[in-house]
Amino acid sequence: MAGIFAQFGTIAASSSQIEYELIFICNDVQRFRAAYTKYGAGRYVGLTIGNEVQDSVGNIMAKVYSVRGYLKSVGVQTPVSTVHTWVDIRNNPALCGADFVGANAHAFFDGGVNSGQAGSFLYNTVKPALQAACPGKKIYITESGWPSRGGNNRNAVASVPDEHNAISSINCARS
């Protein structure tokens, strides 16, 4: 999975960095296109535009569709989407409109589960919610984990042993 990060906070502010037009010689879409040409289509399962970008769903998806349209017009067939938190996707199904769904899901932030329940949370809570919001779409959990330190969140304890337990739970739940 390749990604283009909107480094300036919003899609509008990051547009020149993301944009595929040849206004800037070295922009991120052209870098991806060059890598696609160099390494081949089989290397990439997807390209994401933004990661939890704090912008309107309309602006985010307009950029996704624009980049996807351009890449298809030059022969790049890699699926294109965006990445957001699973809760934002569930609450804004327009984020499901691209080629796949990229969702960040951290059980810790739910607060209702302990580290040993992290995998179950992903596969019994997050995945069904996303399947309901985005029927028929391929879903990738693009980010997950557990903090090793910091404050606790109700039932969720931030510690090295809990981080290890959560990662093991996530890995085992996927098996």
Side-chain angles (χ1 to χ4, degrees), residues 10-166:
T10 66
I11 292 295
S14 300
S15 194
S16 63
Q17 164 226 340
I18 296 170
E19 199 56 57
Y20 54 84
E21 296 174 54
L22 294 177
I23 297 169
F24 294 92
I25 295 171
C26 290
N27 62 59
D28 291 339
V29 173
Q30 292 302 330
R31 282 188 192 104
F32 176 75
R33 183 179 173 198
Y36 179 92
T37 300
K38 181 176 181 179
Y39 299 112
R43 179 167 231 175
Y44 303 100
V45 297
L47 171 67
T48 61
I49 309 301
N51 180 28
E52 297 183 24
V53 174
Q54 299 303 305
D55 204 337
S56 73
V57 171
N59 285 346
I60 294 167
M61 296 312 293
K63 184 56 69 180
V64 168
Y65 299 143
S66 174
V67 169
R68 179 177 66 179
Y70 167 73
L71 289 173
K72 287 191 184 306
S73 78
V74 295
V76 175
Q77 298 304 313
T78 300
V80 179
S81 191
T82 189
V83 174
H84 232 292
T85 66
W86 77 275
V87 173
D88 281 339
I89 296 166
R90 180 195 65 195
N91 294 343
N92 297 288
L95 289 166
C96 306
D99 297 327
F100 62 91
V101 175
N104 295 340
H106 294 267
F108 179 86
F109 296 114
D110 178 73
V113 299
N114 63 46
S115 60
Q117 299 166 317
S120 176
F121 176 79
L122 287 177
Y123 292 97
N124 296 326
T125 301
V126 173
K127 186 177 176 184
L130 292 174
Q131 288 171 324
C134 310
K137 291 291 180 163
K138 175 83 173 164
I139 297 169
Y140 292 102
I141 301 299
T142 48
E143 187 179 296
S144 193
W146 198 272
S148 61
R149 63 180 180 264
N152 298 337
N153 184 16
R154 297 187 350 243
N155 296 339
V157 176
S159 71
V160 171
D162 280 284
E163 179 185 48
H164 181 267
N165 197 30

